Amino acid sequence: MDDCIFCKIIKGEIPSKKIYEDDEFLAFHDITPQAPVHFLVIPKRHIKNIMETESADSGLLGRLLVKAQELAQAQGCSEKGARFVINCKAHGGQTVDHLHCHVLGGRTLHWPPG
């Protein structure tokens, strides 16, 4: 998508503080962190939101969560844990129309989030 900010980050048109990249995913620090550890894991393939996935995407979704878990551990969240969040559409709090998983940790997170 030409107007998608995350697609532009993937292409290198917008800088990001990357923590991981492979052929399928990119992970980078959130520009407005809500916790000491706050990064996003996104698929490089543009998928607007989780409601637009199909059963054929189940492997990608599983790999995304496993990669998020691995990176959370690498960022120091193994012992005390982290929160993994996928917002969807306006009512779910999604602000960028590209599927992404927020990983937050490094402090106690309360529920409901606010």
Side-chain angles (χ1 to χ4, degrees), residues 13 17-18 26 34 42 44 55 71 81 89 92 101 103-104 106-107:
E13 296 172 4
K17 190 174 172 188
K18 294 179 188 178
L26 175 65
Q34 302 300 303
I42 66 172
K44 287 187 169 180
S55 60
L71 295 171
K89 298 187 179 186
C101 178
V103 180
L104 299 100
R107 70 171 175 86

Side-chain angles (χ1 to χ4, degrees), residues 37-41 68-69 72 77 82-85 101-105:
V37 174
H38 187 175
F39 62 90
L40 308 176
V41 182
Q69 176 260 355
C77 297
R83 180 173 292 166
F84 300 79
V85 179
C101 178
H102 290 263
V103 180
L104 299 100

Side-chain angles (χ1 to χ4, degrees), residues 5-45:
I5 191 169
F6 287 173
C7 288
K8 290 179 180 182
I9 290 171
I10 291 165
K11 293 177 192 172
E13 296 172 4
I14 296 175
S16 67
K17 190 174 172 188
K18 294 179 188 178
I19 61 171
Y20 178 83
E21 183 172 15
D22 65 17
D23 291 340
E24 192 169 35
F25 301 110
L26 175 65
F28 53 93
H29 291 279
D30 194 290
I31 60 169
T32 56
Q34 302 300 303
V37 174
H38 187 175
F39 62 90
L40 308 176
V41 182
I42 66 172
K44 287 187 169 180
R45 187 182 80 181

